[in-house]
């Protein structure tokens, strides 16, 4: 007889869903994890992981071509796109198997199928209705596809999934959207030899970044033409027609990437019918509770922070509050202002907290200091004297609390967790100055920025 009642049902097995299931399973809860398509979700199968695997190949290719300055002769370097695709597929396959093994070890029951949320404590999958004490919604997000004339059923147009598995590196790539997805793929294919044009509606790429750092990243990329402040009007095959003010322009590509962002997947699985409150996504409080009793939502579907690591933290918070009604009093709440971001372009960038442009928009006074990455001996040794890089820090002028840290350049994403901890612990710049950074490391640029603040 099929077991149909569980302590917790998790709808969606992306980063948030599978981690919540794992945490609850190890805590002794009887957990059912329902996934329609990919164990591991978008991130693992057609998002973060395959993208970064391809970018790693591009980075190795670039470093090999530039190796002569370090005394390494790598003449005749070529790219084998097929082998790089094979490696990407191996990485994804191995990590998906790892997720499956982890869920099994935690005692989680996994059901393959489309789940339908019937209301608090009720989810149907494959014709079977399962009941539970709690339900966690983790249905994720889908690519946003704006209604641009000529884009529907256009074989030249791909989304963030299709761009991962092209048969070959396109000679010309047009990217619509200068957000994270657009910039990362533009950087990837430009490094591999494509002529890339990015068309962005706003005045600068990556609008969540500090304006001057976004501009520096844009100027540091090679092989990419950025068309800013432009509106795409229509597509004719792989030709994109757009306007800049009154000027009408067009650019011809071989492939067009639609990269205008993602939207929360709130439709088609019962959210509205069941009465879940929806705004940009499912509305949640800082403990990840929805408006329905014992129904929680985590990850992209909340519309709050469409980042895998944010989904992980939301999963941990929801799990903690399910296990312990007093968890919030012990600090298990989501602190949205300390979620870091990272862009894995070449060069990469990362940041956490307040930006200088956001502070100005709020009319808020901040102390700002920035230093070049060349303050780090290791950065120069491994990247050269001319490689782009910078660290910026923002500090409250009265309390001296660190409000934001932003890094541009190699290894930025690997060091931003430490900056997040500074904000999470509400440290002052004096506190940060007392931290001992290992030498020589690129992370020392954060220390240098802290000492550059004029109090």
């Amino acid at each position: 007889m099929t077991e149909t009642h569980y302590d917790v049902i998790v709808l969606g097995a992306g980063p948030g869903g599978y981690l919540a299931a794992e945490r609850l399973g190890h805590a002794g809860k009887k957990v059912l994890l329902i996934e329609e398509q990919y164990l591991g979700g978008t991130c693992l199968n057609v998002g973060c992981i395959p993208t970064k695997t391809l970018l790693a190949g591009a980075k190795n290719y670039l470093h090999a071509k530039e190796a002569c300055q370090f005394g390494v002769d790598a003449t005749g370097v070529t790219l084998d796109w097929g082998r790089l695709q094979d490696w990407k597929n191996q990485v994804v396959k191995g990590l998906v198997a790892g997720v499956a093994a982890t869920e099994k070890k935690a005692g989680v029951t996994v059901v393959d199928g489309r789940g339908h949320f019937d209301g608090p404590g009720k989810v149907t999958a494959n014709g079977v209705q399962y009941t539970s004490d709690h339900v966690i919604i983790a249905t994720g997000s889908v690519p946003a596809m704006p209604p641009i004339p000529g884009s529907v059923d256009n074989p030249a147009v791909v989304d963030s999934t299709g761009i991962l598995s092209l048969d070959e590196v396109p000679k010309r790539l047009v990217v619509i959207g200068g957000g994270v997805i657009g910039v990362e793929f533009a950087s990837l294919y430009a490094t591999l030899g494509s002529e890339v044009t990015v068309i962005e509606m706003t005045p600068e790429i990556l609008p969540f970044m500090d304006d001057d750092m976004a501009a520096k990243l844009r100027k540091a990329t090679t092989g990419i033409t950025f068309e800013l402040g432009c509106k795409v009007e229509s597509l004719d095959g792989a030709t994109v027609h757009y306007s800049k003010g009154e000027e009408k322009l067009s650019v011809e590509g071989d492939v067009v990437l639609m990269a205008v962002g993602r939207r929360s997947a709130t439709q088609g699985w019962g959210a509205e019918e069941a009465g879940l409150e929806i705004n940009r996504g499912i509305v949640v409080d800082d403990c990840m509770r929805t408006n329905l009793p014992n129904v929680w939502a985590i990850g992209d579907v909340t519309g709050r922070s469409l980042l895998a690591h944010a989904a992980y933290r939301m999963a941990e918070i929801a799990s903690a509050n399910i296990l312990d009604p007093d968890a919030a009093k012990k600090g298990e709440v989501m602190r949205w202002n300390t979620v870091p971001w990272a862009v894995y372009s070449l060069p990469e960038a990362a940041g956490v907290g307040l930006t200088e442009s956001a502070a100005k928009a709020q009319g808020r006074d901040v102390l700002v200091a920035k230093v070049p990455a060349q303050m780090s001996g290791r950065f120069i040794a491994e990247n050269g004297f001319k490689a782009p890089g910078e660290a910026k820090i923002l500090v409250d002028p009265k309390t001296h609390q660190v409000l934001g840290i932003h890094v541009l350049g190699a290894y930025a994403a690997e060091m931003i967790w430490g900056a997040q901890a500074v904000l999470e612990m509400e440290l002052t710049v004096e506190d940060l100055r007392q931290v001992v950074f290992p030498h020589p490391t690129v992370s020392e640029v954060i220390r240098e920025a802290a000492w550059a603040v004029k109090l």
Side-chain angles (χ1 to χ4, degrees), residues 118-449:
D118 302 325
K122 297 179 182 179
V123 177
T124 296
N126 301 329
V128 178
Q129 186 178 73
Y130 299 91
T131 59
S132 63
D133 299 329
H134 296 267
V135 175
I136 298 177
I137 305 296
T139 53
S141 63
V142 294
M145 298 295 284
I148 299 173
S151 62
V152 179
D153 297 326
N154 184 336
V157 176
V158 296
D159 60 13
S160 57
T161 298
I163 194 72
L164 287 168
S165 302
L166 298 179
D167 293 334
E168 59 185 4
V169 176
K171 182 178 180 181
R172 300 166 300 178
L173 173 65
V174 181
V175 179
I176 300 175
V180 174
I181 295 171
V183 168
E184 288 189 354
F185 280 116
S187 183
L188 165 65
Y189 283 99
T191 301
L192 298 181
S194 298
E195 298 175 12
V196 180
T197 301
V198 175
I199 304 173
E200 168 57 34
M201 182 178 291
T202 64
E204 188 53 85
I205 61 170
L206 303 167
F208 56 86
M209 278 186 70
D210 205 285
D211 290 344
D212 68 335
M213 294 195 80
K216 288 175 182 176
L217 188 152
R218 171 171 53 82
K219 293 173 183 176
T221 60
T222 57
I224 305 174
T225 299
F226 290 95
E227 295 287 354
L228 304 178
C230 297
K231 180 183 179 182
V232 175
E233 304 288 352
S234 65
L235 276 69
D236 180 9
T239 299
V240 180
H241 302 284
Y242 62 101
S243 59
K244 188 169 188 176
E246 298 299 319
E247 189 177 8
K248 303 296 182 181
L249 303 163
S250 65
V251 59
E252 186 175 350
D254 298 304
V255 174
V256 177
L257 168 62
M258 196 69 74
V260 295
R262 299 181 67 85
R263 60 177 178 83
S264 299
T266 59
Q267 299 177 333
W269 49 265
E272 295 178 348
E273 298 88 335
L276 280 166
E277 183 181 356
I278 300 172
N279 190 354
R280 288 178 301 173
I282 297 176
V283 177
V284 294
D285 65 11
D286 291 345
C287 293
M288 316 316 300
R289 296 184 183 89
T290 71
N291 63 304
L292 298 182
N294 293 337
V295 178
W296 314 72
I298 59 176
D300 287 10
V301 74
T302 68
R304 296 293 298 271
S305 180
L306 277 65
L307 299 166
H309 49 274
Y312 281 144
R313 184 61 188 137
M314 293 184 221
E316 291 170 341
I317 289 168
S319 300
N321 282 275
I322 287 172
L323 294 169
D324 179 4
D326 292 324
K329 298 176 182 178
K330 301 173 184 177
E332 292 293 346
V333 295
M334 192 71 185
R335 287 174 283 276
W336 306 98
N337 65 317
T338 62
V339 176
W341 56 265
V343 181
Y344 298 85
S345 50
L346 301 173
E348 65 186 44
V352 61
L354 192 67
T355 64
E356 188 175 3
S357 45
K360 289 178 181 178
Q362 296 171 14
R364 183 171 185 173
D365 290 332
V366 289
L367 300 174
V368 179
K370 49 188 175 182
V371 298
Q374 283 74 14
M375 296 289 287
S376 160
R378 185 181 180 191
F379 182 89
I380 293 175
E382 297 189 3
N383 299 277
F385 286 97
K386 296 181 180 179
E390 181 178 277
K392 174 186 277 191
I393 187 169
L394 288 82
V395 174
D396 186 292
K398 295 181 179 178
T399 66
H400 295 180
Q401 182 179 335
V402 178
L403 302 176
I405 297 177
H406 307 276
V407 184
L408 169 66
Y411 324 119
E414 290 296 334
M415 68 178 83
I416 205 62
W417 73 268
Q420 191 277 343
V422 171
L423 269 67
E424 186 79 13
M425 301 302 293
E426 300 181 349
L427 300 185
T428 65
V429 70
E430 291 93 342
D431 295 327
L432 179 54
R433 287 174 177 178
Q434 295 177 37
V435 174
V436 179
F437 287 74
H439 176 80
T441 62
V442 179
S443 65
E444 287 176 287
V445 297
I446 294 177
R447 176 182 181 275
E448 295 293 341

Side-chain angles (χ1 to χ4, degrees), residues 48 90 305:
C48 320
Q90 287 179 50
S305 180

